[in-house]
Amino acid sequence: MASIRLHCPSTLRQNHVLDLNKQQVHYLFHVMRQHTGDTLIIFNEIDGNWEATISSISKKNCQLLVTSQLSPPLPSPDIWLCFTPVKQAPMHYLIQKATELGVSKFIPVMTQRCIVKNIKTDKYQANALEAAEQSNRTDIPEIASPTDLRSLLESWPADRTLLMADETGHGEALPTLLHSLAANSPLALLIGPEGGFSPKEFELCTSYPYIKRVTLGPRILRADTAAICGLSVCISQTGDWEKKPSFR
Ligand code: SAM
């Protein structure tokens, strides 16, 4: 079975011929040193996973012939991650791991103690795409435009519980809180900056009924660790861990 997976937004049907974009041609030709006749997997969120054969390849162009469907689209758990941007390396790690775990939407949230000012959402999107290709997802998580905490809360969909990771110990243990929610209720996790949320931000959050403060145990975790830890607990309890990898 081919192991290269590429996201192709065009309609995927048997015998369709597709032209790949510049980055994909570079990756196949220079990095993976692929040749005419080699096979790979292409996918998107509507048509699922398909096998394709390289019908021509050069430094600048690559055409694929779509051959057969390997699986229908694979839905991801309905969980969002709201996070205060951190430095580049932990940020890259966070987007990559959270995409592997199944997050469907990332929302960068500017908080009082956020030290990163230049938010590169296009880089976040590229990280998410790469992680989706490697982790067998057929959908690519959305990266929302950065917002401030107050605007996030004011425009929040009231039916989605927002789990605020609170390192001060005033929250309920995350697994206990999840047990009290209705099955399959939409969730989001909110992680603070390296300096933590300010007292004013905690006060602001207590006025919204859909926010639940949660603790992730007695140790103080780095923001990226807290995100991965919180998401793993949420997805293990309310996500799709009963399903198995489907076609590889
Ligand atoms: N400045 C804080 C301190 O020194 O106490 C630490 C902030 S922590 C590095 C960054 C974020 O991770 C926090 O704002 C919180 O959202 C989350 N976090 C870390 N440890 C946590 C825990 N034990 N329980 C809940 N959230 C935690």
Side-chain angles (χ1 to χ4, degrees):
M1 171 69 70
S3 61
I4 298 173
R5 285 185 87 235
L6 293 179
H7 179 251
C8 290
S10 345
T11 301
L12 305 179
R13 294 282 180 275
Q14 195 166 29
N15 295 329
H16 274 196
V17 174
L18 302 177
D19 284 301
L20 296 186
N21 67 34
K22 242 185 182 178
Q23 288 94 335
Q24 291 173 326
V25 174
H26 172 82
Y27 174 69
L28 288 184
F29 188 80
H30 293 285
V31 183
M32 301 308 289
R33 300 185 178 278
Q34 295 294 287
H35 300 101
T36 301
D38 288 342
T39 58
L40 61 146
I41 298 167
I42 52 178
F43 68 94
N44 65 42
E45 50 282 26
I46 295 170
D47 300 314
N49 284 295
W50 287 73
E51 191 166 61
T53 304
I54 299 177
S55 43
S56 69
I57 187 163
S58 66
K59 278 183 191 173
K60 293 203 168 156
N61 297 298
C62 179
Q63 275 198 335
L64 300 180
L65 175 69
V66 183
T67 50
S68 57
Q69 192 182 36
L70 299 169
S71 86
L74 312 165
S76 295
D78 185 10
I79 184 159
W80 298 358
L81 178 64
C82 306
F83 61 96
T84 307
V86 288
K87 288 187 198 137
Q88 197 178 328
M91 202 58 244
H92 180 87
Y93 175 86
L94 191 159
I95 300 272
Q96 185 188 63
K97 301 305 166 208
T99 302
E100 289 172 24
L101 287 169
V103 161
S104 54
K105 183 173 177 178
F106 291 90
I107 309 180
V109 184
M110 309 311 288
T111 54
Q112 279 180 1
R113 295 180 183 157
C114 175
I115 52 166
V116 178
K117 301 291 172 218
N118 185 11
I119 312 301
K120 297 183 175 155
T121 44
D122 52 339
K123 275 216 162 140
Y124 297 173
Q125 193 67 70
N127 287 350
L129 171 64
E130 196 181 311
E133 286 178 341
Q134 283 173 7
S135 60
N136 228 25
R137 285 180 70 150
T138 51
D139 59 332
I140 312 295
E142 175 191 348
I143 311 279
S145 304
T147 182
D148 60 85
L149 186 60
R150 187 177 288 277
S151 311
L152 177 86
L153 301 181
E154 280 171 3
S155 60
W156 192 257
D159 63 335
R160 183 174 293 270
T161 304
L162 180 56
L163 304 163
M164 180 189 203
D166 174 358
E167 77 279 14
T168 66
H170 289 95
E172 198 166 357
L174 178 56
T176 314
L177 191 278
L178 290 172
H179 276 129
S180 70
L181 299 178
N184 301 323
S185 44
L187 292 179
L189 182 66
L190 172 64
I191 301 290
E194 287 307 324
F197 293 107
S198 71
K200 272 194 172 171
E201 287 169 338
F202 278 121
E203 201 186 307
L204 172 69
C205 287
T206 50
S207 52
Y208 294 89
Y210 48 77
I211 296 194
K212 307 282 177 214
R213 285 161 76 159
V214 293
T215 176
L216 304 172
R219 290 159 293 278
I220 300 297
L221 310 175
R222 281 173 37 150
D224 49 337
T225 317
I228 303 314
C229 162
L231 288 171
S232 302
V233 173
C234 291
I235 295 169
S236 73
Q237 288 201 24
T238 65
D240 53 4
W241 283 13
E242 300 303 320
K243 295 183 189 160
K244 298 185 178 156
S246 60
F247 67 94
R248 284 200 172 192

